[in-house]
Amino acid sequence: MADQDQYVHLKEIFVEFIEKRPTSDLELVLKDDAGIKHKSSKFKKEITIHWNTDIYVRTQTGATLIIQRSLLSLSFAEISVKFKPDEFGDDKTVSLEDTNRRVTVNFICGRSKSLADVTRVLGSQACTALASKVNMLDSLDKILGFLKLPQLAAEAARLNPIALIAVSVVKQAIVNFQEIPSCHRQFVILMDDLVSMLPIMLSALETVEVAERRAIVRGFIEFVKETSEQLNKYSSRSAWTFVLENWYNSKRRDVDALKEKSTRLKQNVGLAINVDIKEHLLLKDREQELKRIKPPAGSSFDPDPKYCCMPGTRADLIETLTSFAVSEDASQRLFFLSGIAGCGKSSVATSVANSLHLRGCLSGSFFFKRDKGPRGPANLLHTMAYSIALRHEPYRKALMDVFKTNTRIEDEAPSIQFNALFKYPLDAILNIPSITTSHSPPDQAIVAIVIDALDECDDPRSVSSYLVEIVGLAPWLRVIVTSRPLDDIEPDLRRAEYVTHLNLFTVDASEDILKFTQSSFALGGLLHRLRSQVTEEEIQALAERSHGLFIWIKTVLSYIASLPWDAAKLKEMRSVLTSRTAASPEKDVDELYLRVLRSVAGKSLDYRDAVKSLVGSIYVTSRNRSLPCKGLHAFIPTSDPDVLVTPEDVDDLRSKLAAVITVDPETEALRVCHPSFLDFVETHARSQEFWTKPEALDMMMARSRQRNDEIPDLKLRIPQELQYSAVYWLDHLSRSDELLDVKKLNDAHDFLCHARLFYWLEVLSVVSEVNAAAQTLRKLVVMSKDDHETCETFRDFLRFVLLLRESMSVSVPHIYISSVIWAEPWSTAMKFLPFELQITLNRGPGTVTRPTSAGQLNVGSVVNSVACSPDGRQIVTGSMDNAVRVWDAQTYSPDGTNIISASYDCTVRIWDSQTGVHIGEPLRGHTLPLTSVAYSPDGTYFISGSMDKTVRIWNSQTGTLVGKPLQGPSGQIMSVAYSPDGTRIICGSDDTRVWMWDSQTGELIGNPFEGHTEAVLSVAYSPNGNIVSGSKDGSVRIWDSQTGSLTCGPLHLALRHAHLGAAWVLSVACSPVQKFVISGSMENTVRVWDLQTGKLIGNPLSGHGAMVTSVAYSQDMTCIISGSFDGTVYIWDPQTEMPRGLPPKGHRDQIKTIAYSRDGRCIVSGSCDKTIQIWDSRTGFPIDQPLRGHTSDVASIAFSPDETHIVSASWDHTLQIWNYLTGAPVGIPLKGHTYTVLSVAYSPDGTQIVSGSQDNTVLIWDPKTCAPIKGPLRGHTGPVSSVAYSSDGALVLSGSHDHTIIIWDLFATQEPLKLRLEGHTGPIYDIACSPTRSHVVSGSSDKTIQIWDFQTGKPVYEPLIGHTGGVMAVAYSPDGNHIVSAGNTTIRIWDSLTGALIGTPLNGHTAIVLQRVAKHLAPAFFSRHTDIQNSRAGFIVK
C-alpha cells in the first residue's frame, strides 16, 4: 500500500528529565493533527516516566506530546513530532528533546502496519473491551429491574408534593442509569457488525481500482478504526468510573450517531462495490471478446527498478516523454526515440512506461526482446488493438463489428490483420470524439502506448509504416517508439506526419553517467570497497571514457566487480582507463567485450574453447528460447567425447562472465545482459577468436544426444498417475455417463487444441506408449463423424502422429525436430506448437523426401496392389521391390488381424497386421508367379491366382491347400475375387474371359463370361452380387452373375471411349454399398462410375505420374485408394476430387517468371493469374497464400540484396514492392511506365530499382518513396526486355528488341547514355554484367551469345554459337569464370575467358527454358553444383 495507508506503531514512550522533575503528579497527552488525544494515567514520583502507549499513528502526520501537571493540566514540556516512515521505521527508537531542554523523550516503535492491519487490531481490542463490561452490566440491569426505581420515585412524589422537584431530577438520572446496559448492547452489536464487514471491505480495497471508489472503501475502514479507538477508550474505564461517567452522560446520542453514520457509509460502499463489480464484469466480457488478440505473455514492460533509469538520471527526458504521452496536442502523436545500441533506450522506455503506469495513463506496452518472447508484427498489432479497445469505447465497438464479419483474423497475414484491426475500425470512428472508459484517468481522453526496441521486430519496416498510418487515423493516440537507427525504419518515421524524432545519443548524458559511476563506488555499490583507493578524478575519467554509452560503463563496472581481489579490480580499472580508444563508440564496446572474454579465457586453449562454446550456445538458443544451466550443458561440446559438461560447470563459467551473461530470475535461463552482445557474438570480425559459424552452432544444437532408452530411469520420472491418465483418459471420458456425447467431444477437442497436444505426446514418448496416441485419435475420429469440422481436426492430429510415430517413439526432442522437418506447414497440429519450442529450420542442399502423409504414400517402387483394412484405418500395398508395406490410413482378413500377399516368387505369405511379422512359412503350390489374392467373406479361406493358369484355395488358419487347383482358363489368371456370400469364386484371365467356380465343390459354373476383346486384368463383386471387370481393351463391364449378361446394355463402348489413347483398365473395385464402381487405367487416372447407369461421375482423378495398377474403396466410402507404377499411393477425397493432405498447387495459370533466394530456401514465381507465390524450394510446397495486387500478368520479379523485399513488374504497367517475410505490399504501386513492364532489377546496395518496359524506356526508382528518381531514359526504339546493374551500381544496362544494348551512366550530369552495343541481328532476350564489371554478356533470338567489353562496347570474341534456337537467358557464375545460357530445351556452360563450350549441352527439359526462369536459377545452379566448373560432361540437374 502507499505511505498514506501505513501506520507507525508507538509501543512505548520514555521521558527522562534533564532538569529537576516537578514534585506534582504528571500525565502525558499525545494529540495528533486531527485533534485526537491519547492520555496516559498519572505518574506520581517516577524519575523516568514509562508509558505503554500501544498507539497507531498514520505516517507523514504530526502530533504533539505534552507532559503536564495532572491537577490543573498545566504544561511542563511539549515536543512536536513528525512521523516520517524512514525515521519511525520498524523496531526503531527515536530520541527528541523539547525546545527548552527540560526533557528527553524516546519513542519506541514496533512493526509498522497498514490501515487494514491497524483496523483489524483495534477492532479486536474494542470487541474484547466491550465484552469485558457485559457481565457487569447484565447484573446492573437485573438490580435495576428488581428495585423498580422509577415507580418508587413516582410514589414518593405523590405522598410528598415537596419532593416533586427533586423527583424530576432523580428520574432523569435513573433513566440515564437504566440506559447504560442498553447503550452498551447497541455498541456491542454495532462493533460486531463493523468487524464482520471488515474482511469484505479490506478485500474490496485491494481489488477496487478507481480512485473515487477506493476512497469510499477506505473511508469506511477508517470509520471502523476510529470507532474502535473510541469504544476501546469508552470500555477501558474501571467498573465504578465506567458507571458514573455513563450515568451523567448518556451515550444514547452517540449510539444513534454511530448507527446512522455506519448505515450511510455501508450504503455508499455497497453502491461503489456494485458499480465496480458491474464494470469488472463488463471488462471481463470485453476481455473475453478480445481474447483472440490478447497480448502474448511477457511482452509488456517490467517495472523492476533494475530495468529503469537510476533515480535522478534522465529526469528531463523522462518528463518530456511522459508529458508527450498525456498531451492533448494532436499535432504530435508518435515520438520516435532512436539511438545506437547501448545508449539507454530501453531503460528510458521502461522508466516512461512505469511513470505512466503509476499515473494510470498507460494503456499498453510492447517490449521486443531478441532472446525472449514473440517478435512478430502480428504480436505487436494484437497488443495495440487489445490495449486501445480496453480504453477506447468507440474503437472497441467498431473492432467488434469487424470481428463479426471475420472470424479468423488472427490467422491472416499481418497486412490483412492491420486492415482489420486498425484501418477499418479507425476509419469508421474517425469523426467520433474520443470516449474512454472508467479505467482512464479523469479528464484523460488520451490512449498511450510504449514500444521498445522496434529494431528487434521480425519486420520493423512494415511495422513502422503501420504505426505511421495508425496515428494518422487516431488523433487521441500517443505512441512512444524506441529503436536503433535502422535504414529500414528511421527515414520513414522521421519524414512522417505527426512524428517527433529525437536521437538519444545526441542528448548529453555525461552527468547521468557520472552519477551512475559514482553510485557504484558509493556505500552499497558494486565497487564500494575501492572507494578509498580511487580518486574522484579517476571516477570522472571512467565516466568520460564511456563516450555516452550506458552499456559501456555498466559492463566495465560489472566486469571489474567480478574480479576476485581488490588489487586485481584496481589494476584492471586503471588498465581500462589507459587503454586505446576505438574509432567509434560501438567498436569501443566490442573491445570491452573482447577484454571480458579474454580475461576469463586466459591463455588456456581449453578455457578459451569453453568460453567460445558457452557464448555460442547462448547466442544460438536466444533465437528460440534461452535455456538454464541444467538444460544448456547438454549441448556444449568438449574435445574429449568421454568428458561431459555438467550444469555446475556451466554455472561456474557463467559467474565469471557475469558482466555479459545474466540469469533470468523467473526461468533461470542464461541470457545476455544486453542485445549488443548478441550482435558481437554473431560476427566474426567483432568476436574474433570467440566466433563460431552459426550453421555449426545450429548443427550442434540439432543433434539429439540421447535416445529415450539411453536415459536411466527416464520412465520412472513420470508419476504413475500421469502415465495412466495420458494413456487411458479417453477410455474413461467415453464411458462416463454424466456427460453428453457432444460435451465429451468438446472436452477432448479443448484438451488437444492447445500446446497440451505436444506435452501429451512427450509423456507418451517417455513411457513408450506413442501407439496409444494413434488409438485415442482414431476413436475420436469415429466419435466425431457427425461433426465435420471437429472430425477433420482429429483426423489431422492422427495424420500428424502417424507421420512422426517412429521418431517420436525414439526420442522426445524429435517430437519438435521432426515435426518442423516433416510435418505439413498447414497442419492443424502445427498451429499449436508451443512458441518457445518453435524451431527455424535451415535445410542444406539436396532433395528432401517427406515421410508418409495422409494424401500420398511414397512407396519407392512400382505399386501393384492396394487394399484397405475393414475399419478403414490402414492401407496395405504390394510393390515390385518385393515388399509389403502397411500404412496407417493394411489383401486384409475380415477381422483386420492378418494380411495376405502374393509374390512373383510363386509364394503366398500371411502377415500379422499389428506387428508386421509374417506368420508361418511361405505357402507354396503355384508353379509360376502369383498375380492376385483374396480373402473369403468370413476369413476362413483365401484364394490365389497365378500365371500358371490356376486358382488355388487355402485354409487361412493352417495355411494348407483345400482341394484341387481350380482350372479352366486357357490363359494366365490376372485377378481373383470371392462373392459377397462366399459361395462363388471368379477370376479374370488373359484369355479375354471371366470365369466362375463353386467355392465348395471347385466345379466351374456355367460358361465363362465373354465380351472383352483383350485380357481381363481386374475383377470385383458389387454388394448386390453383380460382377465388374476391367480389361486391356479399355473397357469396364458390369455382368449379371446369374445369367452372365451385361446389366446395362452395351456399356463397353461408352466406357471404352473414356480411356481412349491409353486403353488398359488395370484395376476395378466397387463401393461398399451398391452405388459406385472405380477403375484405374494406363492413362494414369482413376475414374468413378455410377453402377446403375454406367455413367462417369465427375472428373478423372489425376495426379499419378504413371499407370494406376490398383484401386480400392475405404469401408466408410470417405476415400478412394489408388496405387501406381510411379511408386506412390494416393488417398483421394471423392467429394473434392483431390488427394487428401496435399498442399494447394499455387498458381492457376502459366508461370512467367521466377527468382531464387540466395540461400536457396525459397523460390518466388509470378504468373499469368496476376499473383506472386513464394515456394519452399526443398518440398515444392507453396508458403502461405499468393501475393495479390496486380491487375494483369506478372512479367518479372527480383529480390532486394538483403532479401527482405521483392519487386514485381506487371503487364498492368506498374511495379510493386513486397515484404518478403510477411507478403504485405510495401507502399503504393510504382507508376510511370505507359505500357507493360517487362523486366526489373535491384541495385547492388538495394537503394534503387531499375525497370524496362514495352514503352521502350528505362526508369530508375527509389524503393523507399516508390517514386521515380531518374528517367524515363529514352534511347531504344523497341521494347526493353532485360535490365541489369553493374556490380558497383554506377551503371545500368538495358537490352531491347531493337537488337541493341545500352549502358547508362547514372551519375552523368548531361546525357546518361554512355555506350550503345550493336552486333546482334535479333531481339535481345537477356543481359548480365560480369562480377568484375569488365564484360557484358547477352543472349538473343539470333541463336547467339555475345560477350562485350564494358569500356569500349566492342565484342570480345566472335559470337558463341551452339543453341539451335533463341537464347532466352544468360548469367555469370559467382567467380565470373563461366557463363550459363538457356535456350529451347538445353542449358549450356561456357568458359567466359575463352568463349569455349564446356562439356555437352544439358538436356532434360521438354519445353522452352523461359528467360526469367533460367536467369534467376543460374546463381543457385552454380552455388549448388560447383563441381560443374570442372566437369567436362553435361548432366541433368533435377
Side-chain angles (χ1 to χ4, degrees):
M1 289 190 180
D3 285 344
Q4 65 179 16
D5 283 338
Q6 290 292 316
Y7 284 77
V8 174
H9 182 203
L10 290 179
K11 291 173 59 179
E12 303 168 276
I13 295 178
F14 288 87
V15 179
E16 298 177 350
F17 294 90
I18 301 174
E19 294 184 354
K20 184 179 179 181
R21 182 194 189 283
T23 57
S24 58
D25 295 345
L26 300 176
E27 59 187 8
L28 307 183
V29 177
L30 186 68
K31 181 180 179 181
D32 64 22
D33 289 345
I36 298 175
K37 294 181 179 180
H38 302 274
K39 195 172 183 180
S40 72
S41 59
K42 292 180 183 179
F43 300 97
K44 296 187 178 296
K45 300 183 182 297
E46 291 91 337
I47 299 301
T48 298
I49 294 176
H50 176 205
W51 180 19
N52 288 311
T53 48
D54 199 24
I55 296 172
Y56 291 93
V57 186
R58 193 194 296 252
T59 56
Q60 302 295 0
T61 62
T64 302
L65 179 67
I66 305 170
I67 299 98
Q68 64 184 24
R69 294 174 175 86
S70 59
L71 183 60
L72 299 174
S73 299
L74 296 175
S75 172
F76 173 73
E78 295 184 5
I79 294 177
S80 295
V81 187
K82 184 73 172 180
F83 295 103
K84 297 180 180 179
D86 54 338
E87 295 180 7
F88 288 80
D90 293 348
D91 303 320
K92 286 187 176 181
T93 299
V94 180
S95 296
L96 298 173
E97 293 182 357
D98 70 313
T99 54
N100 297 320
R101 301 194 75 250
R102 292 181 173 182
V103 295
T104 298
V105 178
N106 293 314
F107 296 89
I108 311 299
C109 300
R111 308 287 292 180
S112 61
K113 294 183 182 293
S114 66
L115 171 61
D117 292 334
V118 170
T119 307
R120 288 193 194 97
V121 171
L122 295 178
S124 176
Q125 291 175 352
C127 289
T128 302
L130 288 168
S132 69
K133 298 293 188 291
V134 170
N135 291 335
M136 182 269 288
L137 292 173
D138 284 345
S139 300
L140 180 62
D141 205 18
K142 291 177 182 177
I143 294 170
L144 292 172
F146 176 75
L147 293 176
K148 300 181 180 179
L149 291 178
Q151 291 88 337
L152 290 173
E155 185 63 25
R158 184 180 64 79
L159 296 174
N160 187 357
I162 298 175
L164 183 61
I165 298 173
V167 167
S168 64
V169 175
V170 173
K171 185 178 181 179
Q172 183 60 48
I174 291 171
V175 171
N176 289 352
F177 201 79
Q178 286 180 318
E179 286 183 346
I180 294 173
S182 174
C183 291
H184 192 83
R185 292 190 188 96
Q186 295 296 318
F187 282 141
V188 171
I189 293 171
L190 177 64
M191 199 65 228
D192 285 344
D193 184 38
L194 294 178
V195 170
S196 66
M197 289 191 65
L198 192 58
I200 300 174
M201 297 299 107
L202 295 178
S203 177
L205 189 64
E206 295 293 333
T207 56
V208 174
E209 295 180 357
V210 179
E212 293 84 352
R213 297 179 203 140
R214 283 180 59 84
I216 292 172
V217 177
R218 186 185 294 109
F220 182 87
I221 296 173
E222 289 175 344
F223 167 70
V224 177
K225 171 183 171 293
E226 293 167 2
T227 302
S228 300
E229 290 175 329
Q230 293 173 17
L231 294 181
N232 198 20
K233 188 181 297 183
Y234 150 79
S235 301
S236 298
R237 303 287 189 262
S238 65
W240 179 246
T241 305
F242 176 83
V243 172
L244 287 178
E245 285 185 357
N246 287 283
W247 189 357
Y248 292 104
N249 296 299
S250 173
K251 299 298 182 183
R252 175 59 58 192
R253 291 183 180 178
D254 293 345
V255 169
D256 294 340
L258 286 174
K259 289 172 67 176
E260 181 185 354
K261 188 172 183 180
S262 173
T263 301
R264 185 175 71 253
L265 287 175
K266 283 193 286 186
Q267 289 174 344
N268 291 343
V269 168
L271 182 61
I273 291 177
N274 282 336
V275 171
D276 198 77
I277 289 173
K278 289 179 180 179
E279 283 207 356
H280 182 72
L281 292 175
L282 181 61
L283 181 62
K284 286 296 181 185
D285 289 341
R286 290 175 179 169
E287 289 177 347
Q288 187 66 21
E289 291 175 338
L290 299 168
K291 68 178 182 179
R292 292 160 55 185
I293 55 169
K294 190 171 183 177
S299 60
S300 60
F301 84 100
D302 188 341
D304 192 313
K306 68 182 179 183
Y307 299 120
C308 299
C309 297
M310 190 183 80
T313 63
R314 301 287 198 188
D316 292 342
L317 177 60
I318 293 170
E319 179 57 33
T320 297
L321 291 170
T322 304
S323 300
F324 168 87
V326 298
S327 171
E328 296 185 3
D329 180 8
S331 65
Q332 298 299 317
R333 307 174 190 175
L334 190 151
F335 200 114
F336 176 43
L337 184 68
S338 66
I340 62 175
C343 63
K345 302 181 297 297
S346 292
S347 296
V348 171
T350 304
S351 297
V352 172
N354 193 40
S355 175
L356 292 170
H357 172 69
L358 293 175
R359 294 171 58 170
C361 301
L362 183 67
S363 300
S365 63
F366 197 99
F367 279 49
F368 288 101
K369 300 177 183 69
R370 190 183 313 185
D371 60 344
K372 187 178 181 181
R375 300 191 298 164
N379 300 124
L380 175 60
L381 295 178
H382 290 183
T383 298
M384 291 186 66
Y386 184 87
S387 303
I388 296 171
L390 288 181
R391 289 263 186 161
H392 197 279
E393 188 62 17
Y395 170 79
R396 186 192 67 80
K397 290 181 178 179
L399 184 61
M400 290 303 101
D401 290 339
V402 174
F403 276 10
K404 291 174 184 176
T405 59
N406 190 333
T407 60
R408 304 294 296 173
I409 291 174
E410 61 273 24
D411 295 331
E412 302 287 357
S415 58
I416 298 175
Q417 291 194 46
F418 165 73
N419 289 333
L421 296 177
F422 295 99
K423 186 170 178 56
Y424 303 149
L426 291 175
D427 279 340
I429 65 168
L430 189 58
N431 298 318
I432 300 177
S434 177
I435 302 172
T436 52
T437 69
S438 60
H439 294 275
S440 303
D443 303 320
Q444 177 60 267
I446 301 301
V447 177
I449 295 175
V450 178
I451 302 169
D452 179 53
L454 181 59
D455 52 291
E456 300 293 353
C457 175
D458 289 339
D459 185 8
R461 182 169 185 178
S462 294
V463 170
S464 63
S465 65
Y466 294 153
L467 291 174
V468 169
E469 192 165 351
I470 290 170
V471 297
L473 295 170
W476 36 264
L477 180 62
R478 302 292 177 268
V479 181
I480 297 173
V481 180
T482 71
S483 171
R484 285 186 290 178
L486 300 185
D487 292 338
D488 277 351
I489 58 178
E490 185 169 22
D492 292 339
L493 287 175
R494 292 180 65 172
R495 286 195 296 265
E497 193 178 5
Y498 307 120
V499 175
T500 299
H501 174 251
L502 176 65
N503 187 334
L504 183 58
F505 194 61
T506 64
V507 178
D508 184 12
S510 57
E511 289 297 323
D512 293 334
I513 292 177
L514 180 58
K515 287 180 182 178
F516 178 79
T517 309
Q518 290 170 336
S519 71
S520 297
F521 288 92
L523 185 63
L526 282 173
L527 300 169
H528 69 277
R529 290 186 354 204
L530 298 184
R531 185 64 186 90
S532 60
Q533 305 174 63
V534 177
T535 66
E536 189 62 37
E537 289 75 16
E538 286 178 315
I539 294 175
Q540 188 163 351
L542 199 61
E544 291 173 354
R545 182 72 170 73
S546 69
H547 299 298
L549 288 181
F550 270 93
I551 189 57
W552 189 92
I553 192 66
K554 185 176 180 180
T555 303
V556 80
L557 292 172
S558 298
Y559 163 54
I560 294 171
S562 69
L563 298 176
W565 315 113
D566 287 354
K569 294 176 182 178
L570 196 63
K571 179 181 178 181
E572 190 66 13
M573 186 199 77
R574 287 169 178 161
S575 174
V576 169
L577 284 174
T578 58
S579 63
R580 178 180 57 85
T581 302
S584 67
E586 293 96 330
K587 292 185 180 299
D588 234 10
V589 173
D590 287 353
E591 291 294 332
L592 178 58
Y593 286 153
L594 281 171
R595 177 186 284 266
V596 172
L597 299 183
R598 287 167 178 168
S599 171
V600 175
K603 296 182 180 180
S604 167
L605 292 179
D606 287 342
Y607 226 83
R608 188 199 68 181
D609 290 343
V611 171
K612 177 180 176 180
S613 296
L614 179 60
V615 299
S617 300
I618 292 174
Y619 162 76
V620 76
T621 56
S622 71
R623 294 177 294 181
N624 300 310
R625 183 190 65 169
S626 298
L627 291 173
C629 293
K630 59 185 179 184
L632 195 64
H633 78 98
F635 296 100
I636 297 179
T638 59
S639 56
D640 185 348
D642 294 328
V643 176
L644 296 178
V645 179
T646 67
E648 292 74 22
D649 295 332
V650 176
D651 190 52
D652 178 65
L653 187 55
R654 190 274 316 160
S655 65
K656 294 179 173 64
L657 293 169
V660 292
I661 298 172
T662 186
V663 178
D664 190 298
E666 295 180 4
T667 64
E668 298 184 350
L670 301 193
R671 303 178 58 207
V672 296
C673 294
H674 194 269
S676 60
F677 186 70
L678 294 175
D679 297 330
F680 163 81
V681 174
E682 184 178 31
T683 309
H684 189 192
R686 298 174 67 179
S687 54
Q688 299 181 25
E689 70 266 29
F690 298 100
W691 180 80
T692 305
K693 191 176 182 180
E695 291 81 1
L697 290 169
D698 284 319
M699 181 57 68
M700 176 184 74
M701 302 300 291
R703 293 193 181 103
S704 300
R705 288 293 186 91
Q706 293 174 294
R707 296 161 50 103
N708 290 348
D709 56 11
E710 293 174 342
I711 303 174
D713 302 328
L714 178 62
K715 188 174 181 178
L716 299 179
R717 302 179 193 182
I718 305 294
Q720 288 292 324
E721 61 272 23
L722 181 55
Q723 293 187 35
Y724 182 88
S725 298
V727 176
Y728 300 114
W729 65 272
L730 183 63
D731 289 349
H732 290 286
L733 181 65
S734 60
R735 292 197 297 263
S736 171
D737 293 331
E738 297 181 5
L739 298 174
L740 297 173
D741 287 344
V742 174
K743 180 67 166 59
K744 295 175 184 177
L745 281 177
N746 289 339
D747 287 349
H749 185 272
D750 292 345
F751 170 72
L752 291 174
C753 290
H754 189 274
R756 284 186 295 263
L757 171 67
F758 288 87
Y759 304 149
W760 175 51
L761 293 174
E762 284 186 30
V763 174
L764 294 176
S765 174
V766 170
V767 301
S768 304
E769 290 282 3
V770 172
N771 282 336
Q775 294 167 9
T776 298
L777 291 166
R778 287 191 184 109
K779 291 178 183 178
L780 287 170
V781 170
V782 174
M783 290 171 63
S784 61
K785 61 182 182 297
D786 295 331
D787 184 338
H788 177 73
E789 185 175 350
T790 301
C791 183
E792 282 304 307
T793 299
F794 291 145
R795 195 188 299 277
D796 182 85
F797 290 168
L798 177 58
R799 285 195 290 264
F800 177 80
V801 170
L802 296 176
L803 179 70
L804 304 173
R805 179 167 56 181
E806 183 177 351
S807 57
M808 286 180 185
S809 301
V810 171
S811 173
V812 171
H814 272 287
I815 295 173
Y816 303 100
I817 297 170
S818 298
S819 66
V820 173
I821 298 174
W822 303 121
E824 296 92 341
W826 53 88
S827 166
T828 305
M830 293 300 287
K831 293 180 181 179
F832 303 110
L833 187 67
F835 170 82
E836 66 272 16
L837 292 173
Q838 289 176 6
I839 304 166
T840 301
L841 181 68
N842 294 308
R843 296 190 180 97
T847 302
V848 175
T849 304
R850 290 178 176 268
T852 310
S853 74
Q856 176 181 341
L857 312 182
N858 293 305
V859 177
S861 180
V862 172
V863 177
N864 289 326
S865 180
V866 296
C868 188
S869 64
D871 61 1
R873 296 173 180 175
Q874 294 173 310
I875 295 167
V876 64
T877 60
S879 58
M880 288 194 67
D881 61 358
N882 307 329
V884 175
R885 292 174 172 86
V886 180
W887 311 84
D888 277 279
Q890 287 186 26
T891 273
Y892 270 90
S893 61
D895 61 1
T897 60
N898 295 328
I899 304 165
I900 52 173
S901 62
S903 171
Y904 268 41
D905 65 1
C906 309
T907 67
V908 179
R909 277 189 179 271
I910 305 174
W911 309 80
D912 186 301
S913 64
Q914 299 300 314
T915 65
V917 176
H918 59 79
I919 301 171
E921 295 298 320
L923 309 184
R924 307 180 187 277
H926 288 288
T927 59
L928 288 174
L930 281 75
T931 56
S932 181
V933 286
Y935 262 105
S936 64
D938 63 0
T940 305
Y941 305 101
F942 63 85
I943 54 176
S944 59
S946 167
M947 292 181 182
D948 63 7
K949 307 177 185 179
T950 67
V951 176
R952 293 178 183 259
I953 306 173
W954 307 79
N955 185 301
S956 62
Q957 301 300 315
T958 64
T960 57
L961 279 169
V962 177
K964 296 181 179 180
L966 308 184
Q967 296 178 329
S970 60
Q972 299 175 357
I973 308 300
M974 308 306 295
S975 179
V976 294
Y978 262 103
S979 64
D981 61 3
T983 62
R984 301 286 187 266
I985 295 171
I986 59 171
C987 81
S989 170
D990 71 354
D991 63 6
T992 73
R993 293 175 289 185
V994 177
W995 297 75
M996 183 188 298
W997 292 270
D998 185 302
S999 64
Q1000 301 298 318
T1001 66
E1003 298 294 330
L1004 274 170
I1005 299 175
N1007 296 317
F1009 301 174
E1010 298 182 342
H1012 286 296
T1013 59
E1014 293 193 53
V1016 180
L1017 301 176
S1018 183
V1019 292
Y1021 266 101
S1022 68
N1024 69 342
N1026 285 339
I1027 297 170
V1028 182
S1029 60
S1031 170
K1032 197 173 178 179
D1033 63 9
S1035 70
V1036 175
R1037 297 172 183 255
I1038 304 170
W1039 314 80
D1040 186 307
S1041 61
Q1042 301 300 320
T1043 66
S1045 61
L1046 291 171
T1047 59
C1048 297
L1051 301 177
H1052 61 284
L1053 294 177
L1055 297 177
R1056 181 183 176 89
H1057 289 306
H1059 289 295
L1060 282 178
W1064 297 13
V1065 178
L1066 300 172
S1067 52
V1068 292
C1070 293
S1071 61
V1073 297
Q1074 186 177 343
K1075 193 170 184 180
F1076 305 117
V1077 174
I1078 53 174
S1079 64
S1081 81
M1082 200 168 179
E1083 62 167 346
N1084 312 347
T1085 64
V1086 178
R1087 283 177 164 79
V1088 183
W1089 315 86
D1090 188 301
L1091 189 58
Q1092 303 300 320
T1093 66
K1095 292 184 178 179
L1096 184 65
I1097 298 174
N1099 298 310
L1101 308 183
S1102 301
H1104 284 295
M1107 64 181 74
V1108 179
T1109 55
S1110 186
V1111 291
Y1113 248 112
S1114 65
Q1115 292 298 308
D1116 59 2
M1117 292 184 60
T1118 60
C1119 59
I1120 296 169
I1121 303 100
S1122 61
S1124 168
F1125 254 54
D1126 64 5
T1128 66
V1129 174
Y1130 272 35
I1131 304 170
W1132 305 87
D1133 187 325
Q1135 302 299 319
T1136 64
E1137 300 179 355
M1138 291 291 292
R1140 285 185 176 176
L1142 292 186
K1145 290 186 177 181
H1147 292 297
R1148 292 176 287 103
D1149 205 340
Q1150 177 187 354
I1151 296 175
K1152 302 198 72 169
T1153 177
I1154 70 166
Y1156 217 118
S1157 64
R1158 285 189 296 174
D1159 61 7
R1161 293 175 60 191
C1162 294
I1163 298 170
V1164 180
S1165 59
S1167 168
C1168 293
D1169 65 4
K1170 310 173 189 177
T1171 70
I1172 297 159
Q1173 180 68 64
I1174 303 174
W1175 308 78
D1176 186 314
S1177 64
R1178 304 295 176 220
T1179 66
F1181 296 159
I1183 300 173
D1184 214 333
Q1185 298 300 314
L1187 314 185
R1188 305 181 188 279
H1190 285 296
T1191 59
S1192 190
D1193 301 9
V1194 179
S1196 183
I1197 290 175
F1199 271 101
S1200 63
D1202 61 2
E1203 295 193 342
T1204 59
H1205 295 88
I1206 303 164
V1207 63
S1208 58
S1210 171
W1211 284 31
D1212 62 10
H1213 309 175
T1214 71
L1215 292 84
Q1216 178 66 60
I1217 302 172
W1218 311 82
N1219 186 301
Y1220 174 51
L1221 298 177
T1222 66
V1226 177
I1228 60 175
L1230 284 62
K1231 297 181 179 179
H1233 287 294
T1234 59
Y1235 212 70
T1236 299
V1237 186
L1238 297 174
S1239 55
V1240 66
Y1242 262 99
S1243 63
D1245 60 2
T1247 60
Q1248 295 178 359
I1249 294 171
V1250 61
S1251 60
S1253 169
Q1254 205 161 348
D1255 63 8
N1256 306 346
T1257 69
V1258 176
L1259 273 170
I1260 313 297
W1261 309 81
D1262 185 331
K1264 293 183 178 180
T1265 64
C1266 300
I1269 54 177
K1270 201 171 191 67
L1273 306 180
R1274 306 183 187 278
H1276 288 294
T1277 59
V1280 180
S1281 53
S1282 183
V1283 289
Y1285 272 94
S1286 61
S1287 56
D1288 60 2
L1291 305 175
V1292 164
L1293 295 77
S1294 59
S1296 170
H1297 283 204
D1298 65 5
H1299 309 177
T1300 69
I1301 301 167
I1302 294 179
I1303 301 177
W1304 310 87
D1305 187 343
L1306 299 183
F1307 296 99
T1309 56
Q1310 301 296 327
E1311 173 58 50
L1313 194 156
K1314 181 179 180 180
L1315 284 174
R1316 185 185 297 273
L1317 314 183
E1318 297 177 322
H1320 281 295
T1321 59
I1324 308 294
Y1325 284 156
D1326 199 17
I1327 55 175
C1329 181
S1330 67
T1332 59
R1333 216 193 85 166
S1334 58
H1335 297 106
V1336 177
V1337 65
S1338 59
S1340 169
S1341 68
D1342 63 10
K1343 308 178 186 179
T1344 68
I1345 300 163
Q1346 186 71 65
I1347 303 175
W1348 312 82
D1349 186 290
F1350 213 111
Q1351 301 301 320
T1352 65
K1354 302 297 183 182
V1356 177
Y1357 313 112
E1358 292 296 319
L1360 309 184
I1361 300 173
H1363 285 288
T1364 58
V1367 181
M1368 308 301 295
V1370 289
Y1372 271 97
S1373 63
D1375 60 5
N1377 293 333
H1378 300 85
I1379 296 168
V1380 62
S1381 62
N1384 283 1
T1385 61
T1386 64
I1387 298 174
R1388 295 173 181 260
I1389 303 171
W1390 312 81
D1391 188 311
S1392 65
L1393 302 179
T1394 65
L1397 180 65
I1398 297 176
T1400 59
L1402 309 184
N1403 297 299
H1405 289 289
T1406 58
I1408 295 174
V1409 181
L1410 295 178
Q1411 173 194 3
R1412 290 177 185 84
V1413 173
K1415 73 178 291 185
H1416 290 294
L1417 282 176
F1421 177 88
F1422 276 114
S1423 65
R1424 290 167 178 273
H1425 305 285
T1426 52
D1427 56 337
I1428 201 171
Q1429 298 181 18
N1430 300 316
S1431 173
R1432 294 298 169 185
F1435 60 92
I1436 302 172
V1437 180
K1438 294 185 178 179

